[in-house]
Amino acid sequence: MSEYPQFHAFEAGPVMPVPRISGTAMPHGVFLSTGTASTAGLLSLFLTGFSIVSIGILAAVPTYVLAWLADQYLHLSLPAVLLQIGGPADPTLSAIAHILINLLTFLVFLLVLRATPLAGYHSAEHMTVHAIEHYGVLGWEPFVEQMPRAHRRCGSNLLSGILPILLVGAPLVSEGSPVALALAVLLAIVGWRVRHYVGFFIQNTFTTKPPTEHQLARGIDAGQRLMSQWLAGPPPVLSPVRRWLHRGLPQMVAGVSCAIYLMSAVAEQLYRWLDW
């Protein structure tokens, strides 16, 4: 059985070597890169990072409402835990409350993300890369719509490997008992072992959705522009820093950091204005 259960094989194989492609969904399209060529500028990547945090902020409202409703029955001070202004005094109850908030926050974020255009562009990105990798540089465009939405190199697979320790393990460790510690270690091991299965489930269920014709066309356009650069001549020899910049991660991290800073500044003022 394949390690990647949702990756479907096709009869045709690559017609020529292709570069290792990375990419991401943007609010208005698809970004692809080979490390020496790329299809988006600094501002687009910065806004992509900014938009991810913005989705998290948007998801905070329904998360708070659901936490408040759940707390009417559980009495674990879930809204206070969510706002980081309090929580149960008992360590075990505190760990349970933090786990529930972590899971609720993550689930609502995924649901809000799927409702945005990013999920469609995410599919277009994966489907385009699949087609290039499978059919080679030439003649892949007509087959993009046949490709699966999930991709084995998506960051969701890596994230899925550490989610158990982030969402559940960390609160258990803070609880401090040997049993909780052992459970956290077990979760970390099991989570990493099944990361591809969980990652493909998250991709297929939440972080991607069937793309519209426009979204798929943007993915194909990004793929065509990237391959045109790749075929234009031998790739330039770049330093690791330059290749990293071509991959777009620093620009997106800058957007995330800026959004978090602005969110923290607003939250600090709200705290004063509302006299929490």
Side-chain angles (χ1 to χ4, degrees), residues 71-243:
D71 202 52
Q72 306 308 302
Y73 300 94
L74 300 177
H75 306 294
L76 291 174
S77 303
L78 296 181
V81 172
L82 178 62
L83 297 174
Q84 299 182 358
I85 57 174
D90 180 79
T92 301
L93 293 180
S94 178
I96 293 173
H98 279 84
I99 290 170
L100 291 175
I101 284 298
N102 288 346
L103 294 174
L104 179 62
T105 301
F106 183 63
L107 177 60
V108 174
F109 173 81
L110 290 178
L111 291 172
V112 173
L113 175 62
R114 196 182 193 283
T116 69
L118 273 176
Y121 285 122
H122 196 190
S123 292
E125 174 217 337
H126 286 178
M127 294 164 74
T128 299
V129 174
H130 267 309
I132 295 174
E133 291 176 339
H134 188 76
Y135 290 101
V137 172
L138 301 176
W140 53 268
E141 296 91 338
F143 305 102
V144 175
E145 63 183 11
Q146 303 173 24
M147 297 293 107
R149 301 202 314 264
H151 196 284
R152 64 186 181 276
R153 289 204 318 276
C154 180
S156 300
N157 291 342
L158 176 61
L159 178 63
S160 297
I162 60 177
L163 274 177
I165 196 65
L166 290 176
L167 301 181
V168 181
L172 289 175
V173 170
S174 66
E175 196 270 341
S177 71
V179 174
L181 225 89
L183 184 56
V185 172
L186 179 62
L187 280 170
I189 295 172
V190 173
W192 187 253
R193 293 285 296 177
V194 302
R195 64 189 183 279
H196 293 294
Y197 297 95
V198 177
F200 271 82
F201 172 78
I202 289 176
Q203 289 181 64
N204 282 313
T205 308
F206 297 108
T207 63
T208 70
K209 62 183 176 182
T212 64
E213 290 186 9
H214 171 75
Q215 290 166 340
L216 197 59
R218 295 303 296 268
I220 293 173
D221 177 65
Q224 290 172 334
R225 287 187 286 120
L226 187 73
M227 290 299 98
S228 294
Q229 296 177 51
W230 177 258
L231 294 173
V237 179
L238 301 178
S239 67
V241 173
R242 291 284 302 277
R243 295 179 70 90

